[in-house]
Each structure stands twice: as C-alpha cells, then as structure tokens.
Amino acid sequence: MSSREQILASVAKNQPIPVALPEIPIFSSEKSDLVEKFTTVAVGIGSKVFRVNSLKEAKQILLKEHKASKRIISTFPQFSDVAEVSIVPSTDPHTMEDVDLAILEAHLGVAENSALWVTEELLPMRVTPFICQHLALVVSPKAILPLMHHAYEQIGMKDYGFGVFIAGPSKTADIEQSLVLGAHGPRTLTIFLLEEQ
Amino acid sequence: MSELKDHAALAENFNADELRVNWHDETLWFIRQKRDRSAHAIPDWELLRETASQIKHNVLSNLSEYLEQFEANAKANGVIVHWAVDAREHNQIVHGILKKHGVKEMVKSKSMLTEECHLNDYLAENGIEVIDSDLGERIVQLAKEPPSHIVLPSIHKKKEEVGELFHKHLGTAPGVSDPQVLTETARQHLREKFLTRRAALTGVNFAIAETGEFVVCTNEGNADMGAHLADVHIASMGIEKLIPQRKHLGVFLRLLARSATGQPITTYSSHFKKPRKGHEMHLVLVDNGRSIHLGREDFRNSLKCIRCGACMNTCPVYRRSGGHSYHNAVAGPIGAILAPNFDMKKAADLPFASTLCGSCSNVCPVKIDIHNQLYKWRQVIVQEGYADSKKTLGMKAMTQTFASPATFRLAGKAGRWFMRNVPLAVSNKLNPWYKQREMPVPPKESFGEWYRKNRK
Ligand code: SF4
C-alpha cells in the first residue's frame, strides 16, 4: 500500500461521523466611513496613506519621500519618466535585488485590517513587492471593503497563480518584542487612494 | 540510558533566575493583553470563533474527502504532491527533491512541522545546510536551540544574548544590543542567503480543498523572499491544515493574527496556487500520527489548532516555565495535549504542567477544550501507568474529591483552614506547583459559603 493510500485509509477509518459545513454568518461591520477606518488602521501599523486625484500627484509625493531612490519600477506607464515600466515576467527575479522603490496597483483593500489584495497579474513578477526597499500601492477608495469576508466575496473563484494580502511594511518583533520595520521585505509602505476621475 | 528531565525539573532550571522569569512572564502577558484589545474590538468575536470551530469540525469529519479533493486540485494547478506517513518519510521526500536538483543549501521559513520532524538535523547528516530565515528562528538556530514558542521562537532570549550571538556569527561589534541594529544585520545576512539559495521550504497555515492553493502568513516576508527567488519551492503541511473553501480564509485570517499578537492581520498572507513558469512547487502532506489522533474522540479536537500561540501566552505555567521545559516541538497547553498522542511515555509529564485554570480554552480561536483535554490525558496517563507516583497519589485524591460534592466542600474548607494556618506546609517540595511561589492568601470564606449565606 502506498503512503497515500495508507494515510487516506487511516483518516477515513478514524474520522468522526460527518458534520455539516456551517454557513458563514453575516458579520457586523463598521458603520463609519470605510476609507477613514482603513486609513486609521493602516497608519496604526506603520503605513503612510495619501488621498490623491491623479498619478501625477502620487508621483510628486513619492519623489519627495524617496529622493534617494535610484532604481524605481512600476506597472503604471504614467511613471515611465522616472521608472522602468515594462519589465517582462520572464526576467530573472534576482535582478530585482537593487530595486529601491516599486509602485504597483492593488485590486482592493480591507478596512478592518488595511490589507491590500494583489495578484500576479498586477505584478511584474512575484518577488517584486517583497524584494524592493520601499513599496507603494495604488488602490481606488471605492475598492475599500469593510471585512475580509467581503474581500473573499469579491475575489470569488478567480484564478491566479499567486495572490497576496499586504498589510503594512515588513516587520519583526523577534528581539525582545521591540517592533522593527523592514525585516526582509520593504521598509515602508505608501498607499495611494486614487480618486477615479 | 539516563532518565530525561521532565517538565518540573526543566522548569526548575528556568526558575533559577527569578528576574528573567518575571521578564518572560510579563512579556507574554503583554502579548496576551494585545490579543484581548484586538479581540474585543470585534463585536462578533465569539461568533467568529464558533464559526471557525464548526468549520474545523466539518474538516475533521470529512478529512479524507478533503484531502483527495485538495490533491486533485493542487495537481491540476501544477503542484507536485507527496504523502508522508511519518517524519522519516517526510525528511526523505524533502531530501530526495533536493538531491534531484543537486541542492546543498536551502532557506526555510517558519514551519513547526519541520521542527516536529527534525528535518534540519536529518538534512545536515546528509550534507545539506538549512538556513532558518525567520529572525527568531535564525536566532535560536545560531544558539543551537529549538524554538521556545510556536509564533515567537526566541521569546526567551534577551537582546544582549542576541547581540552576543550576532557578534560571534554575523560580525556585529561587541556589546551591540539595539534591536534595530541587530535586525538590520540579520536583514543583510539573510538577503544574501535568499539571493543565493536555489531551494526554499515554507510551512503552510491553510490549504484550501476547493482550489488546491495554500496560504502562508508571515510578518517578515521571509517565506516569499525564499519561495519567489528559488527554483524549487517545497511546502510541508500536516494533513489537518485543510479548510474546505477559499471564502473560509475570511474567518481564519481574521482570527489568526489577532489571537497570536493582537495585529489585525499579518503583514503578508500569501496565496500560492501555481508554480512560477519553469519552476517546481512541491507539497508534502504529512500524517505522522495525526490520523490516529483523529480516532481519539476525547482528543481529536486538538487537531483544529491553527497554531496562533494564544494558549501559550495566556498560560500561567508556560509563562513561568518557558517553552523549553516542555521538551517538545510545540510547547505550552496545546503542545501538552498533542504530544502524548505521539509518545505517551515521553510526554507523560506534560498534561500535568497545568493549573487547569482554563484560560487557554477561553482564548483559543477555534475553541479547543484544551484544559478538559489536559485533565483527560492525566487520567489516561495514570491508567496506562505512565504517571510518576507523586502525581498518581494527588490525582487519585483529586478524582475522589471531585467525584463527591460533599467531600469537595469539606476538602475546600479544610484546605482553606490549613492554608491560613500552615501556609509553608503547603508550599513545600511535595507540591510541585508551589516551588518558587508564595501561596496566595486564602479567602476567609469560599464562594460557596458566601453564596449560601447571601442567597435570599
Ligand atoms: S490550541 Fe488554540 S490557542 Fe493554542 S495555538 Fe492552537 S489555535 Fe491557538
């Protein structure tokens, strides 16, 4: 008997009588302004949040905040004057090693925890939002949803190779519980809530 | 062979340095308080816990079906699925994959399962170097120690000790103990590893039967740095990590980080579904005693565990005895109910390392009846003849006492009188829980007496 068969047989023999899967109840969510809630939580965990009316405005803010950035990459063609905007997916991910700033798009955000949902199709390559020194994510304020349940409702059965919720800059508190931002991933996260024109 | 030290003896070592114990205790209590604030901010917290518990109940009762469904979907996604009956087979599978690719060095993100399987040692014996990439895990790896906590592996280490380790192994200046500086050093050191390792192993927090994807949660981003840079990604998971549908992640991701550290969510919740083009993604499904555990009616609920660590942070015994005193990969209350399933003799002392106060069950996000299971394990262990004599005596007396309410009332009364009048006699060597502690002042009357008097 293969290990697979052995495990499945043992599990089948020992599992209790089937219990029905519960419905996910409708959970109560914040009545207050979603964008406000999102912003408060995001700032609370170390992100910076800006409401902007155009990518141009976002660019001005970023160039001021990240003056020292040498290598910038983005998926927005509007950044082509300051960033590499056409990285092909077949690029060796190791070449992203020296990226100072990456400016990418998120599908949606979640007010209760300020997490932003990004899938592979919005990334030059999977490693980008992790390997860059600083990360900026652009999302529409209309795409801010109250709870994680709403986010998964929206995501539904969509296919992707890789997807990630990102909430704040990378961090650790493994040395005596002192919070340090910038563990292995980005040291900062800047979020732009871009009003659609 | 010399007798291995049990929890009480190991706890005694830990208790030798009182200031350190106090510090450990307070640090964990601080995390527990953060968890409380975070949980209380959610009006439906209890409903969320109940839902999670019920989903897990459904998972356990249909596990074989979900495993097959998951395997089929993962395969369709291009993931290579392996099955390991035990730790040895798991280690052999991982080694086999690495050998096939000629890999001699691997980065690993946090995986308690690989601790359980002693993967690092096995690979080292086979000439493969593993670098743990979670900062806490790297710290204990450099110290040649196992993690002392499932979420906070180096919670028992002082920053000065980390500084010493980094000075010795990573070349920081002597005496440096600033967490900021030390973390930056680790960042640089590990970045080089991420960039040069061709294989990465990660754990799995949740695997979704419906889609064949799996989710890994970290704050540091180390799982992603490893997996997206390597040619080969290996993910190891216990078979109980399954959940039925993607939407159930909404429930579990809301609970996990809040219970663990009080954060609203971990920085990264990465959903791995398909390998990168031209690269390999392996998934190892590990049983290692879990399917047998599933058959123990009184104890199977412990397989619902999502490894948040809340029961450890809240446990008065864990906080004051440290993770290493549990001599098991998973420490604390949950470790004490999982371990006897694998090796009842070796873990016979663990269910006794508890005051049965029930705080663990109160904070558990999937509502495992941890303290009841601790109590039940004690009886099984005594019945099977694995308990040491001191505990057996106490147990028998306790069982008799609880079995009869009249004796219970009397025993309580006598106990209170005894404690008020001869406290030092109770705080003696025969009573392992009163070492290094003064007994609390007993109340003049019990709640029962007070209630009877005040009930109109
Ligand atoms: S038993 Fe419950 S509280 Fe303890 S680690 Fe598991 S899920 Fe968390």
Side-chain angles (χ1 to χ4, degrees):
Chain A
M1 201 155 63
S2 71
S3 297
R4 177 186 184 275
E5 286 161 20
Q6 202 178 318
I7 294 169
L8 285 173
S10 174
V11 170
K13 189 179 103 208
N14 287 324
Q15 66 194 20
I17 39 167
V19 175
L21 191 58
E23 281 297 315
I24 297 183
I26 305 203
F27 289 99
S28 49
S29 43
E30 209 70 33
K31 298 277 177 298
S32 68
D33 187 325
L34 288 178
V35 170
E36 202 182 296
K37 169 82 182 170
F38 175 90
T39 307
T40 314
V41 178
V43 171
I45 59 175
S47 306
K48 280 189 180 166
V49 184
F50 297 94
R51 279 188 97 144
V52 292
N53 288 307
S54 68
L55 282 171
K56 210 172 129 202
E57 211 183 319
K59 197 192 296 178
Q60 281 165 355
I61 294 169
L62 281 174
L63 290 181
K64 214 168 93 199
E65 297 251 324
H66 297 285
K67 275 200 199 82
S69 292
K70 287 199 196 77
R71 187 168 181 210
I72 305 176
I73 59 168
S74 179
T75 43
F76 293 102
Q78 290 90 332
F79 278 83
S80 62
D81 55 332
V82 294
E84 300 164 42
V85 293
S86 45
I87 289 166
V88 287
S90 58
T91 312
D92 175 2
H94 295 83
T95 60
M96 297 283 105
E97 177 199 356
D98 57 349
V99 170
D100 294 300
L101 174 64
I103 306 140
L104 309 167
E105 194 185 346
H107 296 286
L108 56 89
V110 183
E112 67 164 321
N113 55 21
S114 82
L116 292 155
W117 175 244
V118 183
T119 57
E120 200 161 25
E121 66 187 272
L122 296 179
L123 298 172
M125 58 190 69
R126 290 183 188 184
V127 82
T128 327
F130 307 97
I131 202 169
C132 56
Q133 297 291 332
H134 302 276
L135 178 63
L137 290 171
V138 180
V139 70
S140 159
K142 289 201 190 71
I144 304 295
L145 307 167
L147 304 174
M148 287 301 280
H149 312 291
H150 303 103
Y152 279 108
E153 226 163 78
Q154 191 114 321
I155 294 166
M157 282 299 283
K158 253 176 227 130
D159 192 25
Y160 46 74
F162 172 75
V164 58
F165 276 105
I166 300 177
S170 95
K171 63 179 167 207
T172 182
D174 274 344
I175 303 175
E176 279 200 17
Q177 282 300 294
S178 314
L179 181 66
V180 180
L181 300 183
H184 301 299
R187 301 168 189 276
T188 64
L189 173 65
T190 311
I191 301 167
F192 292 103
L193 298 163
L194 175 64
E195 299 288 350
E196 275 148 67
Q197 298 302 294
Chain B
M1 215 179 85
S2 72
E3 190 68 10
L4 288 170
K5 282 198 165 181
D6 72 354
H7 179 271
L10 291 163
E12 209 167 332
N13 292 347
F14 189 77
N15 272 265
D17 184 347
E18 195 176 335
L19 284 178
R20 193 190 189 90
V21 180
N22 292 342
W23 164 77
H24 190 261
D25 183 9
E26 279 155 24
T27 309
L28 287 156
W29 187 248
F30 173 66
I31 302 166
R32 154 78 210 259
Q33 287 173 317
K34 285 202 289 188
R35 172 254 171 225
D36 287 352
R37 275 197 294 279
S38 195
H40 295 158
I42 303 221
D44 292 327
W45 183 254
E46 289 308 316
L47 183 59
L48 204 53
R49 283 176 77 209
E50 182 57 34
T51 309
S53 188
Q54 283 181 26
I55 294 170
K56 281 284 185 178
H57 203 146
N58 168 269
V59 169
L60 295 182
S61 71
N62 295 281
L63 190 55
S64 63
E65 292 82 358
Y66 284 137
L67 280 166
E68 286 189 76
Q69 188 192 0
F70 174 73
E71 181 196 36
N73 286 325
K75 277 183 165 170
N77 293 337
V79 179
I80 304 164
V81 181
H82 308 259
W83 299 75
V85 167
D86 54 20
R88 222 180 78 131
E89 191 174 10
H90 165 264
N91 295 347
Q92 285 167 346
I93 290 168
V94 174
H95 182 214
I97 299 167
L98 298 175
K99 215 156 66 182
K100 189 183 113 195
H101 290 272
V103 171
K104 290 265 168 225
E105 297 166 315
M106 176 173 81
V107 279
K108 182 162 84 73
S109 74
K110 205 178 317 158
S111 149
M112 287 318 293
L113 177 64
T114 59
E115 293 290 334
E116 175 188 318
C117 295
H118 301 288
L119 175 72
N120 287 15
D121 295 341
Y122 179 88
L123 291 179
E125 279 160 28
N126 286 281
I128 294 170
E129 184 204 37
V130 180
I131 299 276
D132 283 322
S133 60
D134 171 85
L135 176 57
E137 283 214 312
R138 187 68 185 132
I139 291 168
V140 290
Q141 187 179 38
L142 291 175
K144 297 192 167 56
E145 289 172 16
S148 70
H149 187 292
I150 55 176
V151 175
L152 319 157
S154 62
I155 192 71
H156 60 292
K157 283 256 177 281
K158 292 275 214 179
K159 58 178 190 260
E160 290 78 16
E161 294 168 302
V162 178
E164 246 168 70
L165 283 168
F166 279 25
H167 170 59
K168 192 167 148 210
H169 297 278
L170 308 181
T172 49
V176 172
S177 65
D178 177 1
Q180 192 86 37
V181 178
L182 295 174
T183 302
E184 182 61 30
T185 305
R187 177 183 170 99
Q188 305 298 344
H189 156 70
L190 286 163
R191 191 158 263 251
E192 189 269 325
K193 306 292 178 205
F194 290 129
L195 286 163
T196 50
R197 272 32 177 186
R198 289 172 40 231
L201 189 144
T202 68
V204 170
N205 289 91
F206 306 99
I208 295 101
E210 172 190 52
T211 59
E213 73 198 295
F214 57 91
V215 175
V216 183
C217 304
T218 73
N219 280 322
E220 299 185 4
N222 55 319
D224 290 279
M225 282 293 275
H228 305 315
L229 286 169
D231 297 333
V232 190
H233 175 189
I234 307 169
S236 294
M237 63 176 269
I239 51 172
E240 82 284 18
K241 284 281 145 74
L242 277 176
I243 57 174
Q245 298 161 12
R246 191 185 267 167
K247 69 175 181 199
H248 295 135
L249 284 168
V251 174
F252 291 102
L253 291 180
R254 291 187 76 194
L255 285 164
L256 179 62
R258 286 186 174 98
S259 300
T261 57
Q263 294 170 250
I265 190 168
T266 50
T267 307
Y268 306 107
S269 310
S270 300
H271 300 45
F272 293 89
K273 191 154 181 258
K274 299 172 189 169
R276 267 153 51 225
K277 225 172 157 205
H279 295 85
E280 279 181 23
M281 192 183 277
H282 295 262
L283 195 121
V284 193
L285 288 160
V286 185
D287 182 344
N288 205 31
R290 287 163 175 77
S291 63
I292 296 168
H293 200 49
L294 189 62
R296 294 182 204 256
E297 200 186 333
D298 283 347
F299 303 108
R300 65 164 64 105
N301 265 347
S302 55
L303 291 169
K304 292 180 176 177
C305 175
I306 58 170
R307 301 289 191 272
C308 72
C311 57
M312 307 164 81
N313 304 341
T314 201
C315 177
V317 175
Y318 174 86
R319 282 188 276 118
R320 297 198 68 84
S321 61
H324 289 156
S325 64
Y326 293 79
H327 56 83
N328 187 53
V330 180
I334 179 65
I337 57 175
L338 288 174
N341 171 62
F342 298 109
D343 189 339
M344 212 183 290
K345 186 166 187 287
K346 219 180 110 203
D349 55 321
L350 295 185
F352 293 90
S354 166
T355 61
L356 301 184
C357 70
S359 183
C360 46
S361 307
N362 285 334
V363 296
C364 177
V366 286
K367 296 182 86 168
I368 300 170
D369 54 335
I370 308 170
H371 72 297
N372 286 335
Q373 293 194 30
L374 285 165
Y375 182 64
K376 285 177 188 161
W377 268 124
R378 291 182 183 185
Q379 331 216 357
V380 174
I381 284 162
V382 171
Q383 261 158 33
E384 309 268 325
Y386 290 125
D388 79 27
S389 52
K390 214 189 302 168
K391 276 158 190 160
T392 320
L393 267 173
M395 275 281 300
K396 277 191 188 133
M398 214 152 96
T399 315
Q400 270 161 17
T401 312
F402 284 132
S404 143
T407 332
F408 176 59
R409 278 198 297 273
L410 261 171
K413 232 177 218 162
R416 280 190 303 282
W417 178 87
F418 201 61
M419 276 164 67
R420 268 201 310 277
N421 296 288
V422 246
L424 286 175
V426 185
S427 320
N428 73 5
K429 278 208 188 66
L430 282 172
N431 193 344
W433 280 114
Y434 296 113
K435 277 185 194 166
Q436 313 288 336
R437 279 176 208 88
E438 274 308 309
M439 291 289 288
V441 183
K444 287 244 162 51
E445 53 185 1
S446 73
F447 175 75
E449 285 163 348
W450 175 88
Y451 182 73
R452 273 191 298 278
K453 203 159 75 193
N454 290 279
R455 189 180 48 177
K456 286 274 142 10

